[in-house]
Coordinates of all heavy atoms in Angstrom, one line a residue:
T1 N -95.4 194.9 -41.4 CA -95.2 195.9 -40.3 C -93.7 196.3 -40.3 O -93.4 197.5 -40.2 CB -95.6 195.3 -39.0 OG1 -96.9 194.9 -39.0 CG2 -95.4 196.3 -37.9
L2 N -92.8 195.4 -40.4 CA -91.4 195.7 -40.4 C -91.0 196.6 -41.6 O -90.4 197.6 -41.5 CB -90.5 194.4 -40.5 CG -89.0 194.6 -40.5 CD1 -88.5 195.3 -39.3 CD2 -88.3 193.3 -40.7
V3 N -91.6 196.3 -42.8 CA -91.3 197.1 -44.0 C -91.9 198.5 -43.8 O -91.3 199.5 -44.1 CB -91.8 196.4 -45.3 CG1 -91.8 197.4 -46.5 CG2 -91.1 195.1 -45.6
G4 N -93.1 198.6 -43.2 CA -93.7 199.9 -43.0 C -92.9 200.7 -42.0 O -92.8 201.9 -42.2
A5 N -92.4 200.1 -41.0 CA -91.6 200.8 -40.0 C -90.3 201.3 -40.6 O -89.9 202.5 -40.4 CB -91.3 199.9 -38.8
I6 N -89.7 200.5 -41.5 CA -88.4 200.9 -42.1 C -88.7 202.0 -43.1 O -88.0 203.1 -43.1 CB -87.7 199.7 -42.7 CG1 -87.2 198.8 -41.7 CG2 -86.5 200.2 -43.6 CD1 -86.8 197.4 -42.2
V7 N -89.7 201.8 -44.0 CA -90.0 202.8 -45.0 C -90.5 204.1 -44.4 O -90.2 205.2 -44.8 CB -91.0 202.2 -46.1 CG1 -91.4 203.3 -47.0 CG2 -90.3 201.1 -46.8
G8 N -91.3 203.9 -43.4 CA -91.9 205.1 -42.7 C -90.8 206.0 -42.1 O -90.9 207.2 -42.2
N9 N -89.8 205.4 -41.5 CA -88.7 206.2 -41.0 C -87.9 206.8 -42.1 O -87.3 207.9 -41.9 CB -87.8 205.3 -40.1 CG -88.5 205.0 -38.8 OD1 -89.3 205.8 -38.3 ND2 -88.1 203.9 -38.1
A10 N -87.8 206.1 -43.2 CA -87.0 206.7 -44.3 C -87.7 207.9 -45.0 O -87.0 208.7 -45.5 CB -86.8 205.6 -45.4
L11 N -89.0 207.9 -44.9 CA -89.7 209.0 -45.5 C -89.5 210.4 -44.8 O -89.6 211.4 -45.4 CB -91.2 208.7 -45.5 CG -91.7 207.7 -46.5 CD1 -93.2 207.5 -46.3 CD2 -91.5 208.2 -47.9
G12 N -89.3 210.3 -43.5 CA -89.1 211.5 -42.8 C -90.4 212.1 -42.2 O -91.3 211.3 -41.9
D13 N -90.5 213.4 -42.2 CA -91.7 214.0 -41.6 C -92.9 213.9 -42.5 O -92.9 214.3 -43.7 CB -91.4 215.5 -41.4 CG -92.5 216.2 -40.6 OD1 -93.4 215.5 -40.1 OD2 -92.5 217.5 -40.6
P14 N -94.0 213.2 -42.1 CA -95.2 213.0 -42.9 C -95.9 214.3 -43.3 O -96.5 214.4 -44.3 CB -96.1 212.1 -42.1 CG -95.6 212.2 -40.7 CD -94.2 212.6 -40.8
R15 N -95.7 215.4 -42.5 CA -96.3 216.7 -42.8 C -95.7 217.3 -44.1 O -96.4 218.1 -44.8 CB -96.2 217.6 -41.6 CG -97.1 217.2 -40.5 CD -96.9 218.2 -39.3 NE -95.6 217.8 -38.7 CZ -95.1 218.2 -37.6 NH1 -95.9 219.0 -36.8 NH2 -94.0 217.8 -37.1
R16 N -94.5 216.9 -44.4 CA -93.8 217.4 -45.6 C -94.6 217.0 -46.8 O -94.6 217.7 -47.8 CB -92.4 216.9 -45.6 CG -91.6 217.5 -46.7 CD -90.1 217.1 -46.4 NE -89.7 216.3 -47.5 CZ -88.6 215.5 -47.5 NH1 -87.9 215.4 -46.4 NH2 -88.3 214.8 -48.6
Y17 N -95.2 215.8 -46.8 CA -95.9 215.3 -47.9 C -97.5 215.4 -47.8 O -98.2 215.0 -48.7 CB -95.6 213.8 -48.1 CG -94.2 213.5 -48.3 CD1 -93.5 212.9 -47.2 CD2 -93.5 213.8 -49.4 CE1 -92.1 212.6 -47.3 CE2 -92.1 213.6 -49.5 CZ -91.4 213.0 -48.5 OH -90.1 212.7 -48.6
G18 N -97.9 216.0 -46.7 CA -99.3 216.1 -46.5 C -100.0 214.9 -46.0 O -101.2 214.7 -46.0
L19 N -99.2 213.9 -45.5 CA -99.7 212.7 -45.0 C -100.3 212.8 -43.6 O -101.0 211.9 -43.2 CB -98.6 211.6 -45.0 CG -98.1 211.2 -46.4 CD1 -96.9 210.2 -46.2 CD2 -99.2 210.7 -47.3
D20 N -100.1 213.9 -43.0 CA -100.7 214.1 -41.6 C -102.2 214.2 -41.7 O -103.0 213.9 -40.8 CB -100.1 215.3 -40.9 CG -100.3 216.6 -41.7 OD1 -100.3 216.5 -43.0 OD2 -100.3 217.7 -41.1
A21 N -102.7 214.6 -42.9 CA -104.2 214.7 -43.1 C -104.8 213.4 -43.7 O -106.0 213.3 -43.8 CB -104.5 215.9 -44.0
A22 N -104.0 212.4 -43.9 CA -104.5 211.2 -44.5 C -105.4 210.4 -43.6 O -106.4 209.9 -44.1 CB -103.3 210.3 -44.9
A23 N -105.1 210.4 -42.3 CA -106.0 209.7 -41.4 C -107.3 210.4 -41.3 O -108.4 209.7 -41.3 CB -105.3 209.7 -40.0
A24 N -107.4 211.7 -41.3 CA -108.7 212.4 -41.2 C -109.4 212.2 -42.5 O -110.7 212.0 -42.5 CB -108.4 213.9 -41.0
A25 N -108.7 212.2 -43.7 CA -109.4 212.0 -44.9 C -110.0 210.5 -45.0 O -111.1 210.3 -45.5 CB -108.4 212.2 -46.1
A26 N -109.2 209.6 -44.5 CA -109.7 208.2 -44.5 C -110.9 208.1 -43.6 O -111.9 207.4 -43.9 CB -108.6 207.2 -44.0
F27 N -110.9 208.7 -42.5 CA -112.1 208.7 -41.6 C -113.3 209.3 -42.2 O -114.4 208.8 -42.2 CB -111.8 209.4 -40.3 CG -112.9 209.5 -39.3 CD1 -113.3 208.3 -38.6 CD2 -113.6 210.6 -39.1 CE1 -114.4 208.3 -37.8 CE2 -114.7 210.6 -38.2 CZ -115.1 209.5 -37.6
C28 N -113.1 210.4 -42.9 CA -114.2 211.1 -43.6 C -114.8 210.1 -44.7 O -116.0 210.1 -45.0 CB -113.8 212.4 -44.2 SG -113.6 213.7 -43.0
A29 N -113.9 209.5 -45.4 CA -114.3 208.5 -46.5 C -115.1 207.4 -45.9 O -116.1 206.9 -46.5 CB -113.1 208.0 -47.2
L30 N -114.8 206.9 -44.7 CA -115.6 205.9 -44.0 C -116.9 206.4 -43.5 O -117.9 205.7 -43.5 CB -114.8 205.3 -42.9 CG -113.5 204.4 -43.3 CD1 -112.7 204.1 -42.0 CD2 -114.0 203.2 -44.0
L31 N -116.9 207.6 -43.1 CA -118.1 208.2 -42.5 C -119.2 208.6 -43.6 O -120.4 208.5 -43.4 CB -117.7 209.4 -41.7 CG -118.9 210.1 -41.0 CD1 -119.5 209.3 -39.9 CD2 -118.3 211.4 -40.3
W32 N -118.7 209.1 -44.7 CA -119.6 209.6 -45.7 C -120.8 208.7 -46.1 O -121.9 209.2 -46.2 CB -118.7 210.0 -47.0 CG -119.5 210.8 -47.9 CD1 -120.1 210.3 -49.1 CD2 -119.9 212.1 -47.9 NE1 -120.8 211.3 -49.7 CE2 -120.7 212.4 -49.0 CE3 -119.7 213.2 -47.0 CZ2 -121.2 213.7 -49.3 CZ3 -120.2 214.4 -47.2 CH2 -120.9 214.7 -48.3
P33 N -120.6 207.4 -46.4 CA -121.7 206.6 -46.8 C -122.8 206.4 -45.6 O -123.9 206.1 -45.9 CB -121.1 205.2 -47.1 CG -119.7 205.5 -47.3 CD -119.3 206.7 -46.5
R34 N -122.4 206.7 -44.4 CA -123.3 206.6 -43.3 C -124.3 207.8 -43.1 O -125.3 207.7 -42.4 CB -122.6 206.4 -42.0 CG -121.6 205.3 -42.0 CD -122.3 204.1 -41.5 NE -121.4 203.0 -41.4 CZ -121.8 201.8 -41.4 NH1 -123.1 201.5 -41.5 NH2 -120.9 200.8 -41.4
L35 N -124.0 208.9 -43.8 CA -124.8 210.1 -43.7 C -125.9 210.0 -44.7 O -126.0 210.7 -45.7 CB -123.9 211.3 -43.9 CG -122.7 211.5 -43.0 CD1 -121.9 212.7 -43.4 CD2 -123.1 211.6 -41.6
R36 N -126.9 209.2 -44.4 CA -128.1 209.0 -45.3 C -129.3 209.8 -44.9 O -130.2 210.1 -45.7 CB -128.4 207.6 -45.3 CG -127.3 206.7 -45.8 CD -127.7 205.3 -45.9 NE -126.6 204.5 -46.4 CZ -126.6 203.2 -46.5 NH1 -127.6 202.5 -46.2 NH2 -125.5 202.6 -47.0
S37 N -129.4 210.3 -43.7 CA -130.6 211.1 -43.2 C -130.1 212.4 -42.7 O -128.9 212.6 -42.4 CB -131.4 210.3 -42.2 OG -130.6 210.3 -41.0
W38 N -131.1 213.3 -42.6 CA -130.7 214.7 -42.1 C -130.3 214.6 -40.6 O -129.5 215.4 -40.2 CB -131.9 215.6 -42.2 CG -132.0 216.0 -43.7 CD1 -133.0 215.7 -44.5 CD2 -131.2 216.9 -44.4 NE1 -132.8 216.2 -45.8 CE2 -131.7 217.0 -45.7 CE3 -130.0 217.5 -44.1 CZ2 -131.1 217.7 -46.7 CZ3 -129.4 218.3 -45.1 CH2 -129.9 218.4 -46.4
D39 N -130.8 213.6 -39.9 CA -130.5 213.4 -38.5 C -129.0 213.1 -38.3 O -128.3 213.7 -37.5 CB -131.3 212.3 -37.8 CG -132.7 212.7 -37.6 OD1 -133.0 213.9 -37.7 OD2 -133.5 211.8 -37.4
T40 N -128.5 212.2 -39.2 CA -127.1 211.8 -39.1 C -126.2 212.9 -39.5 O -125.1 213.1 -39.0 CB -126.8 210.5 -39.9 OG1 -127.2 210.7 -41.2 CG2 -127.5 209.3 -39.3
V41 N -126.6 213.7 -40.5 CA -125.8 214.8 -41.0 C -125.8 215.9 -39.9 O -124.7 216.5 -39.7 CB -126.5 215.4 -42.3 CG1 -125.8 216.7 -42.7 CG2 -126.3 214.4 -43.4
A42 N -126.9 216.1 -39.2 CA -126.9 217.1 -38.2 C -126.0 216.7 -37.0 O -125.2 217.5 -36.5 CB -128.3 217.3 -37.7
V43 N -126.0 215.4 -36.6 CA -125.1 215.0 -35.5 C -123.7 215.1 -36.0 O -122.8 215.6 -35.2 CB -125.5 213.5 -35.2 CG1 -124.4 212.9 -34.2 CG2 -126.8 213.4 -34.5
A44 N -123.4 214.7 -37.2 CA -122.0 214.9 -37.7 C -121.5 216.3 -37.7 O -120.4 216.7 -37.4 CB -121.8 214.2 -39.1
A45 N -122.4 217.2 -38.1 CA -122.1 218.6 -38.2 C -121.9 219.2 -36.8 O -120.9 220.0 -36.6 CB -123.2 219.4 -38.9
V46 N -122.7 218.8 -35.8 CA -122.5 219.3 -34.5 C -121.2 218.8 -33.9 O -120.4 219.5 -33.3 CB -123.7 218.9 -33.6 CG1 -123.4 219.2 -32.1 CG2 -125.0 219.7 -34.0
A47 N -120.9 217.5 -34.1 CA -119.7 216.9 -33.6 C -118.5 217.6 -34.3 O -117.5 217.9 -33.6 CB -119.6 215.4 -33.9
M48 N -118.6 218.0 -35.6 CA -117.5 218.7 -36.2 C -117.3 220.1 -35.6 O -116.1 220.5 -35.4 CB -117.8 218.8 -37.7 CG -116.7 219.5 -38.5 SD -117.2 219.8 -40.2 CE -118.5 221.0 -40.0
V49 N -118.4 220.8 -35.4 CA -118.2 222.1 -34.8 C -117.6 222.0 -33.4 O -116.7 222.8 -33.0 CB -119.6 222.8 -34.7 CG1 -119.6 224.0 -33.9 CG2 -120.1 223.1 -36.1
I50 N -118.0 221.0 -32.6 CA -117.5 220.8 -31.3 C -116.0 220.6 -31.3 O -115.2 221.2 -30.6 CB -118.2 219.7 -30.5 CG1 -119.6 220.1 -30.1 CG2 -117.4 219.3 -29.3 CD1 -120.5 219.0 -29.6
A51 N -115.6 219.7 -32.2 CA -114.2 219.3 -32.3 C -113.3 220.5 -32.8 O -112.3 220.8 -32.3 CB -114.0 218.1 -33.3
A52 N -113.9 221.2 -33.8 CA -113.1 222.4 -34.4 C -113.0 223.5 -33.4 O -112.0 224.2 -33.3 CB -113.8 222.9 -35.6
S53 N -114.1 223.7 -32.6 CA -114.0 224.8 -31.6 C -113.1 224.5 -30.4 O -112.6 225.4 -29.8 CB -115.4 225.2 -31.2 OG -116.0 224.2 -30.5
L54 N -113.0 223.2 -30.1 CA -112.2 222.9 -28.9 C -110.7 222.7 -29.3 O -109.8 222.8 -28.4 CB -112.6 221.6 -28.3 CG -113.9 221.6 -27.5 CD1 -114.3 220.2 -27.0 CD2 -113.8 222.5 -26.3
S55 N -110.4 222.5 -30.5 CA -109.0 222.2 -31.0 C -108.0 223.2 -30.5 O -106.9 222.8 -30.1 CB -109.0 222.1 -32.5 OG -109.6 220.9 -32.9
P56 N -108.2 224.5 -30.5 CA -107.2 225.5 -30.1 C -106.9 225.5 -28.6 O -105.9 226.0 -28.2 CB -107.7 226.8 -30.6 CG -108.8 226.6 -31.5 CD -109.3 225.2 -31.2
F57 N -107.8 224.9 -27.8 CA -107.8 225.1 -26.4 C -107.4 223.9 -25.6 O -107.1 224.0 -24.4 CB -109.1 225.7 -25.9 CG -109.6 226.9 -26.6 CD1 -110.7 226.8 -27.5 CD2 -108.9 228.1 -26.5 CE1 -111.1 228.0 -28.2 CE2 -109.3 229.2 -27.2 CZ -110.4 229.2 -28.0
V58 N -107.5 222.7 -26.1 CA -107.3 221.5 -25.4 C -106.2 220.7 -26.1 O -105.9 220.9 -27.3 CB -108.6 220.7 -25.2 CG1 -109.6 221.5 -24.3 CG2 -109.2 220.3 -26.5
P59 N -105.6 219.7 -25.4 CA -104.6 218.9 -26.0 C -105.2 218.0 -27.2 O -106.4 217.8 -27.2 CB -104.1 217.9 -24.9 CG -104.6 218.6 -23.6 CD -105.8 219.4 -24.0
A60 N -104.3 217.6 -28.0 CA -104.7 216.8 -29.2 C -105.4 215.5 -28.8 O -105.0 214.9 -27.8 CB -103.4 216.4 -30.0
G61 N -106.4 215.2 -29.5 CA -107.2 214.0 -29.2 C -108.4 214.3 -28.3 O -109.4 213.6 -28.5
V62 N -108.4 215.3 -27.5 CA -109.5 215.6 -26.6 C -110.7 216.1 -27.4 O -111.8 215.7 -27.2 CB -109.1 216.6 -25.5 CG1 -110.3 217.1 -24.7 CG2 -108.1 216.0 -24.6
P63 N -110.5 216.9 -28.5 CA -111.7 217.4 -29.2 C -112.4 216.2 -29.9 O -113.7 216.2 -29.9 CB -111.1 218.3 -30.3 CG -109.8 218.8 -29.7 CD -109.3 217.7 -28.9
V64 N -111.7 215.3 -30.4 CA -112.3 214.1 -31.0 C -113.1 213.3 -30.0 O -114.3 212.9 -30.3 CB -111.3 213.2 -31.7 CG1 -111.9 212.0 -32.3 CG2 -110.6 214.0 -32.8
L65 N -112.6 213.1 -28.8 CA -113.3 212.4 -27.8 C -114.5 213.1 -27.3 O -115.6 212.4 -27.2 CB -112.3 212.1 -26.6 CG -111.1 211.2 -26.8 CD1 -110.2 211.2 -25.6 CD2 -111.6 209.8 -27.2
V66 N -114.4 214.4 -27.1 CA -115.6 215.1 -26.7 C -116.7 215.1 -27.8 O -117.9 214.9 -27.5 CB -115.2 216.6 -26.3 CG1 -116.5 217.4 -26.1 CG2 -114.3 216.6 -25.1
A67 N -116.3 215.3 -29.1 CA -117.2 215.2 -30.2 C -117.9 213.8 -30.3 O -119.1 213.7 -30.5 CB -116.6 215.6 -31.5
A68 N -117.1 212.8 -30.1 CA -117.7 211.4 -30.1 C -118.7 211.2 -28.9 O -119.7 210.6 -29.1 CB -116.6 210.4 -30.0
L69 N -118.3 211.7 -27.8 CA -119.2 211.6 -26.6 C -120.5 212.4 -26.9 O -121.6 211.9 -26.5 CB -118.6 212.1 -25.4 CG -117.5 211.2 -24.8 CD1 -116.8 211.8 -23.6 CD2 -118.1 209.9 -24.3
A70 N -120.4 213.6 -27.5 CA -121.6 214.3 -27.8 C -122.5 213.6 -28.8 O -123.7 213.5 -28.7 CB -121.2 215.7 -28.4
A71 N -121.9 213.0 -29.8 CA -122.6 212.2 -30.8 C -123.3 211.0 -30.1 O -124.5 210.7 -30.4 CB -121.7 211.7 -31.9
L72 N -122.6 210.3 -29.2 CA -123.1 209.2 -28.5 C -124.3 209.6 -27.6 O -125.3 208.9 -27.6 CB -122.0 208.5 -27.7 CG -122.5 207.3 -26.9 CD1 -122.9 206.2 -27.9 CD2 -121.3 206.8 -26.1
L73 N -124.2 210.7 -27.0 CA -125.2 211.2 -26.1 C -126.5 211.6 -26.9 O -127.6 211.3 -26.5 CB -124.7 212.5 -25.4 CG -125.7 213.2 -24.4 CD1 -126.1 212.2 -23.3 CD2 -125.1 214.4 -23.8
T74 N -126.3 212.1 -28.1 CA -127.4 212.4 -29.0 C -128.1 211.1 -29.4 O -129.3 211.1 -29.4 CB -126.9 213.2 -30.3 OG1 -126.2 214.3 -29.9 CG2 -128.0 213.5 -31.2
L75 N -127.3 210.1 -29.7 CA -127.9 208.8 -30.1 C -128.7 208.2 -28.9 O -129.9 207.8 -29.1 CB -126.8 207.8 -30.5 CG -127.2 206.4 -30.7 CD1 -128.1 206.3 -32.0 CD2 -126.1 205.5 -30.8
V76 N -128.2 208.3 -27.7 CA -128.9 207.7 -26.6 C -130.2 208.5 -26.3 O -131.3 207.9 -26.1 CB -128.0 207.8 -25.3 CG1 -128.8 207.5 -24.0 CG2 -126.9 206.8 -25.5
I77 N -130.2 209.8 -26.4 CA -131.4 210.7 -26.2 C -132.4 210.4 -27.3 O -133.6 210.2 -27.0 CB -131.0 212.2 -26.2 CG1 -130.2 212.5 -24.9 CG2 -132.2 213.0 -26.3 CD1 -129.6 213.9 -24.9
R78 N -132.0 210.3 -28.5 CA -132.9 210.0 -29.6 C -133.6 208.6 -29.4 O -134.8 208.5 -29.7 CB -132.2 210.1 -31.0 CG -131.9 211.5 -31.3 CD -131.5 211.7 -32.7 NE -132.5 211.2 -33.7 CZ -133.6 211.8 -34.0 NH1 -133.9 212.9 -33.5 NH2 -134.4 211.3 -35.0
R79 N -132.8 207.6 -29.1 CA -133.4 206.3 -28.9 C -134.3 206.2 -27.7 O -135.3 205.5 -27.8 CB -132.2 205.3 -28.7 CG -131.5 205.0 -30.0 CD -130.9 203.7 -30.1 NE -130.4 203.5 -31.4 CZ -129.6 202.6 -31.8 NH1 -129.2 201.7 -30.9 NH2 -129.1 202.4 -33.0
S80 N -134.0 206.9 -26.6 CA -134.9 206.9 -25.5 C -136.2 207.6 -25.8 O -137.3 207.2 -25.4 CB -134.2 207.6 -24.3 OG -134.0 208.9 -24.5
R81 N -136.1 208.7 -26.7 CA -137.4 209.3 -27.1 C -138.2 208.4 -28.0 O -139.4 208.4 -27.9 CB -137.0 210.6 -27.9 CG -136.6 211.7 -26.9 CD -136.4 213.0 -27.7 NE -135.9 214.1 -26.8 CZ -135.5 215.2 -27.2 NH1 -135.5 215.5 -28.5 NH2 -135.1 216.1 -26.4
R82 N -137.6 207.7 -28.9 CA -138.3 206.7 -29.7 C -139.0 205.7 -28.9 O -140.1 205.3 -29.2 CB -137.3 206.1 -30.8 CG -137.0 207.1 -31.9 CD -136.1 206.4 -32.9 NE -135.6 207.3 -33.9 CZ -134.7 207.1 -34.7 NH1 -134.0 206.0 -34.7 NH2 -134.3 208.1 -35.6
V83 N -138.3 205.1 -27.9 CA -138.9 204.1 -27.1 C -140.1 204.7 -26.3 O -141.1 204.1 -26.2 CB -137.8 203.5 -26.1 CG1 -138.5 202.7 -25.0 CG2 -136.8 202.8 -26.9
G84 N -139.9 205.9 -25.8 CA -141.0 206.6 -25.1 C -142.2 206.8 -26.0 O -143.4 206.7 -25.6
E85 N -142.0 207.2 -27.3 CA -143.1 207.4 -28.2 C -143.7 206.1 -28.6 O -144.9 206.1 -28.8 CB -142.5 208.1 -29.5 CG -142.1 209.6 -29.2 CD -141.5 210.2 -30.4 OE1 -141.3 209.5 -31.5 OE2 -141.0 211.4 -30.4
A86 N -143.0 205.1 -28.7 CA -143.6 203.8 -29.1 C -144.4 203.2 -27.9 O -145.4 202.5 -28.2 CB -142.4 202.8 -29.4
A87 N -144.1 203.6 -26.7 CA -144.8 203.1 -25.5 C -146.2 203.8 -25.4 O -147.1 203.3 -24.7 CB -144.0 203.3 -24.3
R88 N -146.3 204.9 -26.0 CA -147.6 205.7 -25.9 C -148.7 205.1 -26.6 O -149.0 204.5 -27.5 CB -147.4 207.1 -26.4 CG -146.5 207.9 -25.4 CD -146.5 209.3 -25.9 NE -145.3 210.0 -25.3 CZ -144.9 211.1 -25.6 NH1 -145.5 211.8 -26.6 NH2 -143.9 211.7 -25.0

């Protein structure tokens, strides 16, 4: 951690090297293997549209939180429907 803090400060502005997008790229790399069905692809696409459309209007971080809440709400609705269908 100490070496990272020292070297990180020595590098300067991470946007200069394109490192500001590294966290988003790492997140996409972690998410990609989870997209195995059309349902998960659809939820990811809706969350992406929500985050992208909110980005110009709200503070940083809020679009991601709203998109995550939308994805979670979709999961809860889908699971409650499956439980309802199984009970029939």
